[in-house]
Amino acid sequence: MVLASCRSRFALFAALLAALLLASAGEEEPSGEVGDDSWSRLTTDDWQPGRVGKFNTTFPIKDMECLGPETAIRFNAGLDWATVKAALHLSLGQLATDTWLFQVVAKIQRDEPDTCVLGITTTSSFLLPVTMPKFRNMARMLNTDHNLLVLNVTFYDSLRSGFPVFGVLDSLATPEFRAWFATEEGLSFFPSRPTTKACESPAASALREAVDRGRTSDEPEAWQPPLHLATALFSSGEAGLVGGGSGAGWCAPAEAAVLLVWALALARRPGTDGPAARAEGGPSGTSEAVRRSVLRDVVELVSRAETLIRSHGWDEGVPFGQLVATPWNLWWLLHRLQLELPPLVDGIGFEGIGSSSPSAGRQEL
């Protein structure tokens, strides 16, 4: 079993390097065609993946982008979810500075039905600093009503929806919130958890610090994914990535970070100059075959990272509140990946995102 796992991981690694080299060379066609296997379903617009298990809701969720009439906003016929998405992206962590958005989000929580699942979930979490200003209450709500892992929605579908659910979670992970878990009050609710040696290895620490520098940068959109550090961590085996497992020799957050960094590096290859330039409608100059191939690999990497994050929470018993505050900045990586997705998924669910005008598409309530 371990040997098979090692082989599959090295096979994935080899395929990723080949894809990166191909994209760097500007090739028009991938080395192999996308077959009509299970991956074809992952890259079609009408297939909605969902994980159903004992920790999830039972019924699959459709129209996660909330573009159809059944999920449309009811309290204001002149307002659509695309405008709300764009405003949320522009105001992450800055709720107090946008009175219009605060009023809209409050009305959504008060008046809207739950048909737009990710819209309701994202706006509810966005309000947490106001509704639950005490960290103990915020952490408790993240463990229960705001636990993203209980939704029957995959991470990829959340990314594709355009709702900044991961960006909202990342905005909650302020230095103060993270530090609270080490306080006397925090420890009374969340006992200290031992850190595995694998999570503190030199290669793991280098990757974690590089990601943190990107998150705290004044220009995070200019940050380049540290592909060399992610690859070094994988190849060194310092985080126990080869073979998987648990205990002192394995660090699930480190492995998830590696996969997300790879996904970011792949997603950026087909575009021009990142999210800002793509929002202006510039052509990607990438063939359809390459786009589908890159998207397939991105979905694979995100799916594997999701499995690790869910396992870290459920199997290792990490409460979701603590998972939100992880120093590995996994939610930030997922949000950066979401901003890179439009060229790969034809912009579905991303209408208005990237607009520099905070008033674009807005109407008075």
Side-chain angles (χ1 to χ4, degrees):
M1 181 67 69
V2 171
L3 180 60
S5 178
C6 290
R7 288 175 177 171
S8 65
R9 291 167 188 270
F10 278 112
L12 173 62
F13 179 51
L16 283 169
L17 285 182
L20 286 170
L21 290 173
L22 173 64
S24 298
E27 296 290 342
E28 288 299 319
E29 297 295 335
S31 57
E33 296 182 357
V34 179
D36 294 328
D37 56 10
S38 59
W39 286 119
S40 296
R41 295 181 299 148
L42 293 175
T43 54
T44 54
D45 292 338
D46 59 349
W47 185 71
Q48 298 283 0
R51 182 180 187 279
V52 178
K54 62 182 180 179
F55 296 105
N56 309 83
T57 53
T58 302
F59 301 102
I61 300 168
K62 301 295 183 181
D63 190 19
M64 280 170 279
E65 298 87 1
C66 299
L67 301 176
E70 293 184 356
T71 55
I73 291 176
R74 308 287 178 83
F75 81 90
N76 185 341
L79 180 66
D80 57 23
W81 283 110
T83 301
V84 175
K85 292 178 191 179
L88 287 168
H89 275 277
L90 287 172
S91 302
L92 290 174
Q94 302 176 25
L95 178 59
T97 65
D98 194 331
T99 304
W100 178 88
L101 181 59
F102 180 82
Q103 292 175 346
V104 166
V105 169
K107 285 182 176 292
I108 287 173
Q109 289 299 307
R110 186 187 67 188
D111 300 334
E112 286 299 306
D114 294 338
T115 50
C116 180
V117 174
L118 287 178
I120 297 299
T121 300
T122 305
T123 53
S124 180
S125 297
F126 187 71
L127 284 174
L128 269 180
V130 175
T131 58
M132 297 290 165
K134 293 183 178 179
F135 290 148
R136 66 171 182 270
N137 293 333
M138 184 185 297
R140 177 176 57 82
M141 291 301 293
L142 286 169
N143 292 344
T144 53
D145 293 351
H146 293 264
N147 188 342
L148 181 66
L149 302 186
V150 304
L151 289 180
N152 180 28
V153 182
T154 66
F155 282 14
Y156 170 70
D157 271 333
S158 295
L159 293 173
R160 189 180 181 278
S161 73
F163 286 103
V165 59
F166 299 119
V168 169
L169 292 178
D170 176 65
S171 70
L172 297 178
T174 61
E176 295 78 15
F177 182 62
R178 288 175 168 176
W180 175 81
F181 287 94
T183 65
E184 182 178 354
E185 181 186 49
L187 291 171
S188 68
F189 290 97
F190 300 90
S192 178
R193 302 182 58 82
T195 302
T196 63
K197 293 181 179 179
C199 287
E200 299 297 331
S201 70
S205 297
L207 177 61
R208 185 177 63 247
E209 291 167 4
V211 173
D212 192 62
R213 285 194 296 270
R215 181 178 184 263
T216 57
S217 169
D218 293 334
E219 298 181 346
E221 64 279 357
W223 177 78
Q224 295 297 320
L227 187 61
H228 62 294
L229 294 177
T231 303
L233 178 56
F234 181 94
S235 59
S236 70
E238 288 186 13
L241 305 187
V242 179
S246 60
W250 190 53
C251 183
E255 183 169 0
V258 166
L259 297 174
L260 293 176
V261 166
W262 279 347
L264 261 171
L266 277 170
R268 285 190 170 190
R269 296 297 171 133
T272 52
D273 298 312
R278 295 170 195 168
E280 297 175 0
S284 66
T286 304
S287 71
E288 177 64 14
V290 171
R291 182 191 71 82
R292 288 175 58 85
S293 179
V294 171
L295 178 59
R296 178 193 62 191
D297 290 338
V298 167
V299 174
E300 163 75 352
L301 290 166
V302 172
S303 298
R304 287 174 177 258
E306 175 182 359
T307 298
L308 289 164
I309 293 170
R310 290 181 181 274
S311 176
H312 186 53
W314 292 336
D315 300 334
E316 298 182 39
V318 179
F320 190 67
Q322 283 184 302
L323 201 53
V324 168
T326 176
W328 285 93
N329 296 316
L330 300 174
W331 314 113
W332 182 78
L333 287 171
L334 284 162
H335 181 59
R336 297 312 308 174
L337 181 58
Q338 183 178 50
L339 297 178
E340 299 289 343
L341 272 187
L344 295 179
V345 295
D346 298 324
I348 293 177
F350 291 83
E351 294 82 356
I353 295 176
S355 171
S356 59
S357 172
S359 61
R362 298 188 179 196
Q363 294 183 2
E364 293 300 323
L365 297 178

